Amino acid sequence: MSWNTFGRVLRFTTWGESHGPAIGVVLDGCPPRIALSEEDIQPFLDARRPGQSRFTTQRQEPDQVRILSGVFQGQTTGTPISLMIENTDQRSKDYGEIAQSYRPGHADYAYDAKYGIRDYRGGGRSSARETACRVAAGAIARLIIPEVTITGWVEAIGTSAIDYARFDAGQIRANPFFCPDAVKAAEWEELVDSIRKAGSSVGATVMCRAEGVPAGWGAPLYGKLDADLASGMMSINAVKGVEIGDGFAAARGTGESNADAMAPGAGGAPEFASNHAGGIAGGISTGQPVDVRIAFKPTSSILTPVPSITSTGEATEVRTKGRHDPCVGIRGVPVAEAMLALVLADHKLLHRAQVAKR
Amino acid sequence: MSWNTFGRVLRFTTWGESHGPAIGVVLDGCPPRIALSEEDIQPFLDARRPGQSRFTTQRQEPDQVRILSGVFQGQTTGTPISLMIENTDQRSKDYGEIAQSYRPGHADYAYDAKYGIRDYRGGGRSSARETACRVAAGAIARLIIPEVTITGWVEAIGTSAIDYARFDAGQIRANPFFCPDAVKAAEWEELVDSIRKAGSSVGATVMCRAEGVPAGWGAPLYGKLDADLASGMMSINAVKGVEIGDGFAAARGTGESNADAMAPGAGGAPEFASNHAGGIAGGISTGQPVDVRIAFKPTSSILTPVPSITSTGEATEVRTKGRHDPCVGIRGVPVAEAMLALVLADHKLLHRAQVAKR
Amino acid sequence: MSWNTFGRVLRFTTWGESHGPAIGVVLDGCPPRIALSEEDIQPFLDARRPGQSRFTTQRQEPDQVRILSGVFQGQTTGTPISLMIENTDQRSKDYGEIAQSYRPGHADYAYDAKYGIRDYRGGGRSSARETACRVAAGAIARLIIPEVTITGWVEAIGTSAIDYARFDAGQIRANPFFCPDAVKAAEWEELVDSIRKAGSSVGATVMCRAEGVPAGWGAPLYGKLDADLASGMMSINAVKGVEIGDGFAAARGTGESNADAMAPGAGGAPEFASNHAGGIAGGISTGQPVDVRIAFKPTSSILTPVPSITSTGEATEVRTKGRHDPCVGIRGVPVAEAMLALVLADHKLLHRAQVAKR
Amino acid sequence: MSWNTFGRVLRFTTWGESHGPAIGVVLDGCPPRIALSEEDIQPFLDARRPGQSRFTTQRQEPDQVRILSGVFQGQTTGTPISLMIENTDQRSKDYGEIAQSYRPGHADYAYDAKYGIRDYRGGGRSSARETACRVAAGAIARLIIPEVTITGWVEAIGTSAIDYARFDAGQIRANPFFCPDAVKAAEWEELVDSIRKAGSSVGATVMCRAEGVPAGWGAPLYGKLDADLASGMMSINAVKGVEIGDGFAAARGTGESNADAMAPGAGGAPEFASNHAGGIAGGISTGQPVDVRIAFKPTSSILTPVPSITSTGEATEVRTKGRHDPCVGIRGVPVAEAMLALVLADHKLLHRAQVAKR
């Protein structure tokens, strides 16, 4: 994990700014002879793409991905896979006024404090547009772990949480909220609409689950599967919290309430009575579903004026009038899924490096 | 961050098992000419040391650290600092019966699934004893960032949380719980005692704050300060959740409630009206206190029998009779503080690598 | 240094195949606020560009570099700099016949043995075309170390070596051989012409010198400046040997003949009587010029038929009729210079990470 | 490869100074369930150990290695293996006078220029004593690659080279020079004796060969097997040059003289007519023996006074009277073998990470 590179043996490096000519990602370490074309990647980008409903930003980007290297005659060659997405809808004029003042809650001030310069157009490098690159890389990661099924959903928008009694995975793609609870999805239409009309924003909690992960991926102590997941998820724009399994709820319980009893299972693997651990013990997968929950803060781009300062240190107020997501957590679902796929694929390769196939 | 190494330019590598002859850590990349002796490290180890009150494990380890390299005439030389702590109280007999069965909630099964072998004595490598090495390395990290003050405390034990209206930093070291709320500390004596006597365990929430971090440390996107903190904290034994600033609470709020308004401050730096962001925006420090909250699960070592399996796949029950902490989160405070110091020191050095002193 | 990434805190990742749509490099970790435009990079690419004289391959590539990210209003921003060069002259038909047989001395067989697939067009990823990316990245690295002057030259073609008594740095860019000896440059015209006309190839020795490197860059033991130089240089296509200072000649001498006596010099720095060490002692720069010598093998692409095998294991013969350099070492000069710049820039940043500016 | 850590997935970190209490190495990433005890390591340390003949330094160190972690019931567990060797013969008084002056050709000045402090006792961290740690780690690396046989020998001492017509591998361990040519070994007794008696020193060339390396280890472009070998070998104390296969001799030849013709071989693998490439093409092993040649400079520790400066910048002269090797290259053989084993073992694991067992 370096500045703009994530991963250990399956590594990706992203580049590009919100309003530059393009953004892109180079994925290195991919196993050879995996069938791959743009069609394997595009559906995931489409799922994340803005402008598809009134509940996300109205920025219109086709987000067409192009494979520039690493694939020959329809198969990966083991060399770096370079993916590029052109930026087509760059309304720089929207951002003119923030050139001189810091948007509270955004990275504007921090970037300037660090680098003494920032590309203020659309947040530049700090824009969530970068997450398209993760989604593209994640689509390839999924092909490396065909044994694993990854599913993400929105668990709550603001204080409005789904009811797990109504959980239906088939609903997730059937509404614009990645919501597995049809009743709640209907409620969220109204909720998010009112937020959007008010020029406000709201946070969200996203849950991601990987089924089919065999026991044994991950490694003590600083290569723990959960440590890498925490790093990868926390690196997503607007994420402020990460939980594995029961997370903070586990901290409120006892050893008895948190125990995951085991019994002899089919095929030699144990059968677990519960999954408080979220599929990871001691940093290593147990064979249960890997559960990760992440908290997206409400975007700071709101119509309500917030006191701030200019880049020369004077008092000002900032109101954000650009095209923004009322709830960035919604489009965070495909991003979180991609990060989960990327971490798991990396650990699959790492596991066979040290232990080989057993 | 590799298997047993953490950090980018300030890197530490830990080694050792709970019941081997010793544990240790090699810290590499430390700046030269910092005054250092065992006396700078020992107090932090003493704070973490087991057996100091009836509320922690009764294992008796003097945990005397010895500097084996990297220091000459009382100063760091810039070469690797090797620290070793001998294991003296190794009652291997306590663990005989778990050689053949997996303790539910522990890493026993996962280690075996991965490696096909495990040092079962006291959990071997997966024992929380490893955290002594982090604390030792962290003591040196603090010397690299003298501008920063790090304070950790227990925020809640189980469902019993402190009242921030009674927050008194001076109390933290005055009770065996690292509790800043004297009233709550008194309550916790009874609470933890009852847990201990019942052979049960309880989770805890720990808060860590770093004051004095200048704006500009950290880096987008996979070298984010919060991503590294998430990785470092999640790598601590028994941790299941990490929050920066408001964390999951932010996900329940709106852009208005989450805004950290800025005003012109003294010395050119902005004055923030609040710190929902926990001192980090876009992965870069803002100059506000860096706030990290972590969730410790209750240890799985309890007297209540839990169904499990043997290493040959047969049904069994496991009751843990060894000497264990009723609440591992308590001794997690010095560990979390150490990880915070290590991440910050690393990022201080990284920042000056790319941007130099400004 | 990972598969396609080089560097520690100044890292670059290259991608692309000889006959794909483009090649490129992402440079990460560059300090901010350095003036940068395509014009700073293009001259170095032009110096390496094929087809400029009859002594290099006749492949015609304009090698126009395009900056896609990391620069705003003419300055670096500290975020990744993505550079792309389109491939325009892709005569794939030249390579049709090598699809089924392995060119001896090339990477064809090794790639297939490793990956089970290879992009055979022009050598695919193993083509020396990749070195254009290093040259582009190296142009930026030079801007990070303005205190350093880097000069490379061809020291010998085959057995025909320059006479250092005639060394004239001004000659290096005045002939198509990067030859500092005008007399030898004239001889080489005939030599290389005859090699070219015979469809043969010849090796070369290239020397690179960095002047102005302050004492103190580099680090024991696996971050030695010379270890990184060795890795970087050996990673260049066709390089089979690396020497620092006197190199193998030092192995034939004595402690007396190899001693670099020191005397008090101006400004506190020592004055060295000689530079057998090539400017590096214990892996750390001494303030003397850093001297690196590398050996380029003759390219294996020759007209003389060489026995080989097909990809299905049958005997065959391979004659290479494509457009190739009779002496790849010549165009290796800008590449070696670039690698020297990249290693030094990385170590400048690393040095200030650990030790800061002194 | 970081400051004191080498390797990618099989990583070792060394620590310790020549005259500190101990030196050591932590090897991380070792596959589990490999039988390992001190007896597997000690013979390699004994081969490198000083004081065994009058041709090496008379420093007397038993160099007894102790395994402190990572092994349980005689088998590796997959967790870090910590090895420690105590320093017993620390005659610090020998080095008193160099505390204030820089030994020319040594790292003394460079360390001070970098760090502003140095442990001058016996060269501190820059002492070749560190290489014992590599030898210990290398002994374990060999167990990871049982299919590979590694053999190193001295090819030349000063200008006196062996005659390959008399090459007999059985001779290598039969004389104190790791010399495969019995005639030359006899000559070297006199040669090295005269150098030793004169208080002088002499360089040497060491050759290392790995047989049994399958085709496919290594990776383009910055993870090339030869790039890693170059880095690893150049990081050894006193090494100034590295060659793969024909090395610099290849630069003097033509495409015809350098061609390694292939023919159909047994078991599907090609049969090569020669091995100019040293077993590596495009950074990937070809299945031929991997040949690496390295140049050791003569140690700078000689009795002849050499002009130098003091640490306060005044003129002085340095004569080295301590116990030193007249030819450090001799004891370099086990060190170079160890580095070759470590690089190969790392690449075996990396290969199966990306490509798995085929």
Side-chain angles (χ1 to χ4, degrees):
Chain A
M1 329 291 165
S2 71
W3 282 304
N4 290 279
T5 301
F6 185 90
R8 297 160 182 281
V9 293
L10 181 74
R11 284 173 302 272
F12 66 96
T13 302
T14 70
W15 56 268
E17 278 80 42
S18 173
H19 285 62
I23 57 175
V25 57
V26 183
L27 180 71
D28 197 8
C30 182
R33 285 170 293 132
I34 295 176
L36 180 68
S37 72
E38 278 91 350
E39 284 67 48
D40 296 302
I41 304 169
Q42 196 62 48
F44 296 96
L45 283 171
D46 291 347
R48 178 206 161 274
R49 191 149 54 86
Q52 300 193 104
S53 77
R54 67 180 185 277
F55 308 109
T56 60
T57 172
Q58 293 308 299
R59 179 168 172 158
Q60 294 292 339
E61 291 281 4
D63 280 358
Q64 286 292 330
V65 68
R66 198 173 157 213
I67 298 176
L68 295 177
S69 68
V71 175
F72 183 59
Q73 298 180 335
Q75 288 196 304
T76 60
T77 60
T79 61
I81 302 170
S82 176
L83 306 176
M84 188 166 73
I85 301 166
E86 287 186 46
N87 291 330
T88 56
D89 183 18
Q90 308 156 21
R91 295 197 212 165
S92 290
K93 60 183 178 307
D94 279 353
Y95 297 97
E97 71 190 274
I98 62 165
Q100 306 304 330
S101 55
Y102 299 130
R103 294 170 299 166
H106 277 287
D108 300 350
Y109 168 69
Y111 267 63
D112 245 8
K114 183 176 192 73
Y115 298 118
I117 183 175
R118 74 189 153 103
D119 179 348
Y120 49 75
R121 301 166 304 164
R125 182 69 183 150
S126 71
S127 164
R129 183 144 182 72
E130 187 266 352
T131 60
C133 297
R134 307 176 188 231
V135 170
I140 302 175
R142 285 173 192 255
L143 302 176
I144 301 172
I145 46 170
E147 63 271 58
V148 175
T149 303
I150 289 175
T151 317
W153 59 88
V154 175
E155 204 174 65
I157 292 184
T159 56
S160 172
I162 63 166
D163 181 345
Y164 270 98
R166 291 191 298 253
F167 185 94
D168 174 2
Q171 284 294 318
I172 295 174
R173 249 69 179 175
N175 59 67
F177 303 109
F178 300 97
C179 178
D181 171 349
V183 174
K184 196 51 70 171
E187 287 177 35
W188 287 353
E189 292 220 8
E190 206 169 339
L191 169 64
V192 179
D193 241 359
S194 71
I195 291 281
R196 180 178 59 82
K197 286 175 186 161
S200 181
S201 68
V202 66
T205 305
V206 166
M207 181 74 194
C208 255
R209 176 167 295 164
E211 289 170 292
V213 177
W217 292 2
L221 275 142
Y222 305 110
K224 282 183 171 175
L225 187 55
D226 36 356
D228 280 6
L229 285 171
S231 168
M233 295 299 178
M234 195 67 93
S235 75
I236 299 173
N237 303 48
V239 170
K240 301 301 284 186
V242 182
E243 294 183 319
I244 305 295
D246 284 3
F248 281 87
R252 293 187 288 272
T254 64
E256 290 75 13
S257 68
N258 194 60
D260 290 325
M262 288 185 276
E271 180 145 333
F272 289 88
S274 54
N275 188 16
H276 300 292
I280 304 174
I284 299 170
S285 61
T286 61
Q288 290 199 279
V290 172
D291 284 344
V292 193
R293 185 180 291 102
I294 58 181
F296 283 88
K297 70 172 185 181
T299 176
S300 309
S301 300
I302 51 176
L303 272 178
T304 305
V306 180
S308 186
I309 59 170
T310 67
S311 54
T312 52
E314 279 140 51
T316 185
E317 277 200 336
V318 174
R319 278 178 87 218
T320 309
K321 283 164 300 188
R323 300 154 298 163
H324 295 285
D325 285 288
C327 177
V328 289
I330 298 170
R331 292 204 293 132
V333 171
V335 180
E337 286 185 351
M339 292 306 297
L340 180 51
L342 285 156
V343 169
L344 289 172
D346 192 21
H347 275 278
K348 175 183 179 173
L349 304 191
L350 275 168
H351 178 64
R352 70 188 190 196
Q354 189 181 14
V355 186
K357 210 177 179 59
R358 298 187 56 211
Chain B
M1 329 289 167
S2 70
W3 280 304
N4 291 279
T5 300
F6 186 90
R8 296 160 182 280
V9 292
L10 182 75
R11 284 174 302 272
F12 67 96
T13 302
T14 71
W15 56 268
E17 277 80 42
S18 174
H19 285 61
I23 57 174
V25 56
V26 183
L27 180 70
D28 197 8
C30 183
R33 283 169 295 133
I34 294 176
L36 180 68
S37 74
E38 277 92 349
E39 283 69 45
D40 296 301
I41 304 170
Q42 197 61 48
F44 295 96
L45 284 170
D46 291 346
R48 177 205 161 278
R49 190 148 55 86
Q52 301 193 103
S53 77
R54 69 181 183 276
F55 308 110
T56 61
T57 172
Q58 293 308 300
R59 179 169 172 156
Q60 294 290 339
E61 290 283 3
D63 280 356
Q64 286 291 331
V65 68
R66 197 174 158 213
I67 299 175
L68 295 176
S69 69
V71 175
F72 184 60
Q73 297 180 335
Q75 288 196 302
T76 60
T77 60
T79 61
I81 302 169
S82 175
L83 306 176
M84 189 167 73
I85 301 166
E86 287 186 45
N87 291 329
T88 57
D89 183 19
Q90 309 156 20
R91 295 197 212 166
S92 289
K93 59 183 177 308
D94 278 352
Y95 297 97
E97 71 190 274
I98 62 163
Q100 305 305 330
S101 55
Y102 299 131
R103 296 169 298 167
H106 277 287
D108 299 351
Y109 168 69
Y111 267 63
D112 246 8
K114 181 176 193 73
Y115 298 118
I117 183 175
R118 73 190 154 102
D119 180 348
Y120 50 75
R121 301 166 303 164
R125 182 69 183 149
S126 72
S127 164
R129 180 141 184 74
E130 186 265 354
T131 59
C133 296
R134 306 176 188 231
V135 169
I140 302 175
R142 286 173 192 255
L143 301 176
I144 300 172
I145 46 168
E147 63 271 58
V148 176
T149 303
I150 289 175
T151 317
W153 60 89
V154 176
E155 204 175 65
I157 292 183
T159 55
S160 172
I162 63 167
D163 180 345
Y164 271 99
R166 290 191 298 255
F167 186 94
D168 174 3
Q171 285 294 318
I172 296 173
R173 249 70 180 175
N175 59 67
F177 304 108
F178 300 97
C179 178
D181 171 349
V183 174
K184 195 55 68 173
E187 287 177 36
W188 286 352
E189 292 221 6
E190 206 168 336
L191 170 64
V192 178
D193 242 359
S194 72
I195 292 281
R196 180 178 60 83
K197 285 174 185 162
S200 180
S201 68
V202 65
T205 304
V206 166
M207 180 74 195
C208 256
R209 176 168 294 164
E211 290 171 291
V213 177
W217 292 2
L221 273 145
Y222 305 110
K224 281 183 172 175
L225 188 54
D226 35 357
D228 279 7
L229 284 170
S231 168
M233 295 299 178
M234 196 68 93
S235 75
I236 300 173
N237 304 48
V239 170
K240 300 301 282 185
V242 182
E243 293 183 320
I244 305 294
D246 284 3
F248 281 86
R252 292 188 287 273
T254 63
E256 290 76 13
S257 69
N258 195 59
D260 290 324
M262 289 186 273
E271 181 146 332
F272 290 86
S274 55
N275 188 17
H276 300 292
I280 303 175
I284 300 171
S285 61
T286 61
Q288 288 199 280
V290 172
D291 283 345
V292 193
R293 185 180 293 102
I294 58 182
F296 283 88
K297 70 173 183 179
T299 175
S300 308
S301 300
I302 52 176
L303 272 179
T304 304
V306 179
S308 186
I309 60 171
T310 67
S311 53
T312 52
E314 279 140 51
T316 185
E317 276 201 337
V318 174
R319 278 179 86 218
T320 310
K321 285 164 298 192
R323 302 153 297 163
H324 294 285
D325 284 290
C327 178
V328 289
I330 297 169
R331 292 204 294 130
V333 171
V335 180
E337 285 185 350
M339 291 307 294
L340 180 51
L342 285 156
V343 169
L344 290 172
D346 192 19
H347 275 279
K348 175 182 179 175
L349 304 191
L350 274 168
H351 178 64
R352 70 187 189 197
Q354 189 180 14
V355 187
K357 211 180 179 62
R358 298 186 58 209
Chain C
M1 329 289 166
S2 71
W3 282 304
N4 291 278
T5 300
F6 186 90
R8 296 159 183 281
V9 292
L10 182 74
R11 284 172 303 271
F12 67 96
T13 301
T14 70
W15 56 268
E17 278 79 42
S18 174
H19 285 61
I23 57 174
V25 56
V26 183
L27 180 70
D28 197 8
C30 183
R33 284 169 294 131
I34 294 177
L36 180 68
S37 73
E38 278 93 349
E39 284 68 46
D40 296 302
I41 304 170
Q42 197 61 48
F44 295 96
L45 284 170
D46 291 346
R48 178 206 160 276
R49 190 149 54 87
Q52 300 194 103
S53 78
R54 68 180 184 277
F55 308 110
T56 60
T57 173
Q58 294 307 299
R59 177 168 173 158
Q60 295 290 342
E61 289 282 5
D63 280 358
Q64 286 291 332
V65 69
R66 197 173 157 212
I67 300 175
L68 295 176
S69 69
V71 175
F72 183 60
Q73 298 181 335
Q75 288 196 304
T76 60
T77 60
T79 62
I81 302 170
S82 176
L83 305 176
M84 188 168 72
I85 300 167
E86 288 186 43
N87 290 329
T88 56
D89 184 18
Q90 309 156 20
R91 295 196 211 167
S92 289
K93 61 182 175 307
D94 278 351
Y95 297 96
E97 71 189 274
I98 62 165
Q100 305 304 330
S101 56
Y102 299 130
R103 294 169 300 166
H106 278 287
D108 300 350
Y109 169 69
Y111 267 63
D112 245 8
K114 183 176 192 74
Y115 299 117
I117 184 176
R118 75 190 151 102
D119 179 348
Y120 49 76
R121 301 166 303 163
R125 182 69 184 149
S126 71
S127 164
R129 182 143 184 73
E130 186 265 355
T131 59
C133 297
R134 306 177 188 230
V135 169
I140 302 175
R142 286 173 193 254
L143 302 176
I144 301 172
I145 46 169
E147 63 271 57
V148 175
T149 303
I150 289 175
T151 316
W153 60 89
V154 176
E155 202 175 65
I157 292 183
T159 57
S160 173
I162 63 165
D163 181 347
Y164 270 98
R166 291 192 298 254
F167 185 95
D168 174 3
Q171 285 294 318
I172 295 172
R173 249 68 179 177
N175 59 68
F177 304 108
F178 300 96
C179 178
D181 171 348
V183 174
K184 195 53 70 173
E187 287 177 37
W188 286 353
E189 292 219 6
E190 208 168 337
L191 170 63
V192 178
D193 241 359
S194 71
I195 292 280
R196 180 178 59 82
K197 285 175 186 162
S200 179
S201 68
V202 65
T205 305
V206 165
M207 180 75 196
C208 256
R209 176 167 294 163
E211 290 171 291
V213 177
W217 292 2
L221 275 142
Y222 305 109
K224 282 184 171 176
L225 187 55
D226 35 357
D228 279 7
L229 284 171
S231 168
M233 295 300 178
M234 196 67 95
S235 76
I236 300 173
N237 303 50
V239 170
K240 300 302 282 185
V242 181
E243 294 183 321
I244 304 295
D246 284 3
F248 281 87
R252 292 187 288 271
T254 64
E256 291 76 13
S257 69
N258 194 59
D260 290 324
M262 287 186 275
E271 181 145 332
F272 290 87
S274 55
N275 187 17
H276 299 293
I280 303 174
I284 299 171
S285 61
T286 62
Q288 290 199 280
V290 171
D291 284 345
V292 192
R293 184 180 292 102
I294 58 182
F296 283 88
K297 70 171 182 180
T299 174
S300 309
S301 300
I302 53 176
L303 272 178
T304 305
V306 180
S308 186
I309 59 170
T310 66
S311 53
T312 53
E314 280 139 50
T316 185
E317 277 201 335
V318 174
R319 275 179 89 216
T320 310
K321 283 165 299 190
R323 301 153 298 161
H324 295 286
D325 284 290
C327 178
V328 289
I330 297 170
R331 292 205 292 132
V333 171
V335 180
E337 286 185 351
M339 293 306 296
L340 181 50
L342 285 156
V343 170
L344 289 172
D346 192 21
H347 275 280
K348 175 181 178 174
L349 304 191
L350 274 168
H351 178 63
R352 70 186 189 198
Q354 189 180 15
V355 186
K357 211 178 179 61
R358 298 186 58 210
Chain D
M1 328 289 167
S2 71
W3 280 304
N4 291 280
T5 300
F6 185 89
R8 296 160 182 281
V9 292
L10 181 74
R11 284 173 302 272
F12 66 95
T13 301
T14 72
W15 56 268
E17 278 80 41
S18 174
H19 286 61
I23 58 175
V25 56
V26 184
L27 180 70
D28 196 9
C30 184
R33 284 169 293 133
I34 294 176
L36 180 69
S37 74
E38 278 92 350
E39 284 67 47
D40 296 301
I41 304 170
Q42 197 61 47
F44 295 96
L45 284 170
D46 292 346
R48 178 207 160 275
R49 189 149 54 86
Q52 300 193 105
S53 79
R54 68 182 185 275
F55 308 111
T56 60
T57 174
Q58 293 310 297
R59 178 168 173 157
Q60 294 290 341
E61 291 282 4
D63 280 357
Q64 287 291 331
V65 69
R66 198 174 158 214
I67 299 175
L68 295 177
S69 69
V71 176
F72 182 61
Q73 297 180 335
Q75 288 197 302
T76 59
T77 59
T79 62
I81 302 170
S82 175
L83 306 175
M84 188 168 72
I85 301 166
E86 287 185 45
N87 290 329
T88 56
D89 183 18
Q90 309 156 20
R91 295 197 212 167
S92 288
K93 62 183 177 304
D94 277 353
Y95 297 96
E97 71 190 275
I98 62 164
Q100 306 304 329
S101 54
Y102 299 129
R103 294 170 300 167
H106 278 287
D108 300 349
Y109 168 69
Y111 267 63
D112 246 8
K114 183 175 193 73
Y115 300 117
I117 183 175
R118 73 190 155 102
D119 179 348
Y120 49 75
R121 300 166 304 162
R125 182 70 183 148
S126 72
S127 165
R129 183 144 182 73
E130 186 266 353
T131 60
C133 297
R134 305 176 188 232
V135 169
I140 301 174
R142 286 172 192 256
L143 302 176
I144 301 172
I145 46 169
E147 63 271 59
V148 176
T149 304
I150 288 175
T151 317
W153 59 88
V154 175
E155 203 175 66
I157 293 184
T159 56
S160 173
I162 63 166
D163 181 346
Y164 270 98
R166 291 191 297 255
F167 186 93
D168 175 3
Q171 285 293 318
I172 294 173
R173 250 67 181 177
N175 59 68
F177 303 109
F178 300 97
C179 179
D181 170 350
V183 174
K184 195 53 68 173
E187 286 176 36
W188 286 354
E189 294 222 3
E190 207 169 336
L191 170 64
V192 178
D193 243 0
S194 71
I195 291 281
R196 181 179 59 82
K197 285 174 185 162
S200 181
S201 68
V202 65
T205 305
V206 165
M207 181 74 195
C208 254
R209 176 167 293 164
E211 289 171 291
V213 177
W217 293 1
L221 274 145
Y222 305 109
K224 282 184 171 176
L225 187 55
D226 36 356
D228 279 7
L229 284 170
S231 169
M233 295 299 179
M234 195 67 93
S235 75
I236 300 173
N237 303 48
V239 170
K240 300 300 282 186
V242 182
E243 292 182 323
I244 304 296
D246 284 3
F248 281 87
R252 292 188 288 273
T254 64
E256 290 77 14
S257 68
N258 194 61
D260 290 324
M262 288 186 275
E271 180 146 332
F272 289 88
S274 55
N275 188 15
H276 300 292
I280 303 174
I284 300 169
S285 61
T286 62
Q288 289 200 278
V290 172
D291 284 345
V292 193
R293 186 180 291 104
I294 59 182
F296 282 88
K297 70 172 184 179
T299 175
S300 308
S301 300
I302 53 176
L303 272 178
T304 305
V306 179
S308 186
I309 59 170
T310 65
S311 54
T312 52
E314 278 140 51
T316 185
E317 277 200 336
V318 173
R319 279 178 87 218
T320 310
K321 283 164 299 189
R323 301 153 299 161
H324 295 285
D325 284 289
C327 178
V328 289
I330 298 169
R331 292 204 293 129
V333 171
V335 180
E337 285 185 351
M339 292 306 296
L340 181 50
L342 285 156
V343 170
L344 290 172
D346 192 20
H347 275 279
K348 176 182 179 174
L349 304 191
L350 274 169
H351 178 64
R352 69 187 190 196
Q354 190 181 13
V355 186
K357 211 179 180 63
R358 296 186 58 210

